[in-house]
Amino acid sequence: MANYFVSGVIAIVCYESSVLIGAVINVLVSFTAGYSSFNDLLENLSISNLLLILLISFFNHLFFSWLTANAIRAYGL
């Protein structure tokens, strides 16, 4: 039973870390593109900005999925 609890905690921590890092990267991308907020970037969205956000999101989710699976395999079993 403790293994399931540890696995759940690992999954929640990795998910929340993924969300936080994704939000920070989105804000950094908007500042780098010259906008004062992420909403300003979304209002003036171009194809290049959209592709950049999609690629960053994809790699963020890919990395944290890998991290979650490996952490659960190592500590949750």
Side-chain angles (χ1 to χ4, degrees):
M1 185 64 148
N3 294 340
Y4 293 116
F5 179 74
V6 171
S7 298
V9 169
I10 289 171
I12 290 170
V13 167
C14 287
Y15 173 76
E16 291 298 325
S17 298
S18 172
V19 170
L20 178 66
I21 290 173
V24 168
I25 290 173
N26 285 341
V27 170
L28 290 175
V29 166
S30 66
F31 287 154
T32 304
Y35 297 100
S36 61
S37 71
F38 187 65
N39 287 335
D40 292 340
L41 175 70
L42 293 179
E43 289 175 1
N44 302 311
L45 196 59
S46 65
I47 297 297
S48 62
N49 290 340
L50 177 64
L51 289 176
L52 180 62
I53 290 170
L54 289 175
L55 279 173
I56 290 170
S57 299
F58 173 74
F59 287 117
N60 183 29
H61 288 294
L62 185 70
F63 172 75
F64 275 99
S65 298
W66 172 82
L67 182 67
T68 303
N70 284 333
I72 288 174
R73 186 178 310 133
Y75 299 109
L77 296 177

